[in-house]
Amino acid sequence: MAVQVLGIETSCDESSASLVRDGTGLISNVVASQVDLHRDYGGVVPEIAARAHVESIIPVISEALAGVGERPDLIAVTVGPGLVGSLVVGISVAKGLAWSWDVPLVAVNHLEAHAMATVLESNALEYPFLALVVSGGHTVLAEVRGVDDMEIVGETLDDALGEAYDKVSMYLGLGYPGGPAIDRVSAEGRSDAVPFPRAMMKSGDFNFSLSGLKTAVIRFMQKAKREGDVPATADVASSFQAAALEVVVVKTVDAALERGLRKVVMGGGVACNSVLRRWLAEACEENGLALAQPSPSLCTDNAAMVASLGYFRYKAGHRSGLELDVYPNLRLGATIPRGQEG
Ligand code: KG4
Ligand code: ZN
């Protein structure tokens, strides 16, 4: 019998609910973005985010279930990583609905959901593969061998890739969120205008560092202004983007080759980036690697990926009780702490 899963996602600044049949059949995916509430601050303000989730999550769930006419068979909810106040709103609603509808509840790791989101379009996932998850809060490469078998291969040692985009964009006066703004502006700029450092390109591992690049952009601009020789913003943005993405593309391909993985899968908000998509596609093709690039709506935060992974975790035997808690620092591949599964 088909299993209809209600997914609930509130880990950062999008309130989202989705209904998915049997892990891959997308019925609805409603996302209420808070981006306008955080714009003036140039980043997500945790207190504002949590309050906005309280206001929007019930209408978002109602919309996701509209026209279905019956209760779902399972509820999947993000328990981490993310902002503690935002996560608490999601799991509180999920627990209340699971109790009142008397349906099972399953916990989902947000990063693992990003790594697996492509299954909603490919309908089946062949393991193993290398996942590149790049978002506002995370930059991680992981070997995915199954829903319960994921291992971090490399990650950022400081800022996340999306965070670097957002901070550099604010500094260059391009606004928030910075990723889409820099993506757009860079199309008119020269990526070789400023030779920004390719941080950790030769570190011998698959980790990343992005805070030095952000500082290099600021120092470069300060000096250029002092000397009265400021290049076009599009050139600076495009050069920053090239420096950041070149390292990501090279390390992603090298990690797949070193681990003998034949397929790369992208996920997270920065996976919407047009240059990253193009460069990674070219690099994968040159090296004989298959590449899955989910549609942008499945790259940015959404509950469809949560419902989908929730279904596969349920099939693998996972269940959560009403004592379920949130884990703001949950790592990809980590077991959700004992006592939450039964
Ligand atoms: O996955 P996501 O929606 O939320 C988190 O879990 O963080 O990712 C949001 C991040 C933001 O930093 C935003 O600037 C970035 O994804 N982003 C992009 C693009 N679209 C969104 N970064 C680069 N290029 C884009 N086109
Ligand atoms: Zn995310």
Side-chain angles (χ1 to χ4, degrees):
M1 220 177 70
V3 179
Q4 309 236 62
V5 186
L6 170 66
I8 298 176
E9 158 63 41
T10 61
S11 67
C12 191
D13 62 339
E14 331 275 356
S15 313
S16 180
S18 165
L19 197 62
V20 172
R21 191 188 311 105
D22 290 343
T24 56
L26 185 65
I27 299 168
S28 62
N29 187 23
V30 181
V31 182
S33 172
Q34 303 175 3
V35 73
D36 292 339
L37 297 178
H38 302 288
R39 183 165 280 124
D40 286 350
Y41 305 93
V44 177
V45 184
E47 174 68 21
I48 294 176
R51 281 169 174 262
H53 285 305
V54 170
E55 283 173 20
S56 55
I57 194 64
I58 297 291
V60 163
I61 291 171
S62 302
E63 196 180 329
L65 295 178
V68 176
E70 42 187 291
R71 63 190 181 191
D73 305 303
L74 172 69
I75 296 177
V77 63
T78 301
V79 296
L83 302 170
V84 62
S86 294
L87 290 164
V88 164
V89 176
I91 71 150
S92 302
V93 171
K95 287 198 269 188
L97 291 175
W99 182 77
S100 62
W101 284 334
D102 193 22
V103 295
L105 181 66
V106 63
V108 168
N109 178 323
H110 180 84
L111 289 176
E112 296 178 3
H114 272 309
M116 302 275 289
T118 184
V119 72
L120 283 152
E121 288 172 332
S122 64
N123 290 324
L125 268 186
E126 275 171 37
Y127 304 110
F129 59 86
L130 183 82
L132 168 69
V133 178
V134 276
S135 70
H138 302 276
T139 301
V140 52
L141 283 169
E143 180 170 338
V144 180
R145 296 180 287 258
V147 269
D148 278 327
D149 191 4
M150 304 191 194
E151 179 194 347
I152 295 177
V153 175
E155 61 192 324
T156 180
L157 303 178
D158 40 57
D159 291 354
L161 183 56
E163 187 182 355
Y165 267 95
D166 293 337
K167 287 177 175 168
V168 167
S169 176
M170 288 304 282
Y171 187 77
L172 295 178
L174 295 171
Y176 175 83
I182 289 185
D183 195 355
R184 224 175 10 253
V185 157
S186 294
E188 264 104 62
R190 279 178 37 227
S191 62
D192 60 353
V194 189
F196 288 126
R198 270 59 176 161
M200 303 209 25
M201 184 69 110
K202 300 209 161 30
S203 61
D205 56 25
F206 300 111
N207 291 328
F208 304 96
S209 169
L210 288 141
S211 73
L213 175 57
K214 172 193 67 193
T215 310
V217 174
I218 294 171
R219 291 244 168 86
F220 170 82
M221 289 299 285
Q222 286 170 339
K223 185 162 178 277
K225 280 177 194 161
R226 259 195 326 269
E227 292 170 358
D229 184 19
V230 182
T233 305
D235 285 345
V236 180
S238 182
S239 300
F240 152 76
Q241 173 164 268
L245 297 186
E246 205 176 294
V247 184
V248 172
V249 170
V250 167
K251 290 208 174 192
T252 301
V253 169
D254 285 354
L257 295 176
E258 188 179 295
R259 294 221 161 202
L261 302 167
R262 307 307 309 158
K263 181 167 184 174
V264 175
V265 164
M266 300 168 82
V270 187
C272 298
N273 185 273
S274 61
V275 173
L276 178 58
R277 288 171 92 92
R278 193 170 71 240
W279 286 2
L280 198 55
E282 287 164 5
C284 283
E285 189 172 344
E286 271 167 28
N287 289 280
L289 301 170
L291 174 66
Q293 313 201 49
S295 302
S297 63
L298 291 176
C299 289
T300 50
D301 285 352
N302 68 88
M305 66 183 190
V306 177
S308 172
L309 181 53
Y311 169 82
F312 292 111
R313 282 177 52 76
Y314 177 75
K315 284 278 165 186
H318 293 282
R319 309 281 184 275
S320 297
L322 295 182
E323 69 280 19
L324 184 66
D325 204 349
V326 299
Y327 301 95
N329 300 316
L330 191 64
R331 285 168 63 73
L332 187 147
T335 307
I336 292 171
R338 288 172 77 86
Q340 310 303 327
E341 307 266 324

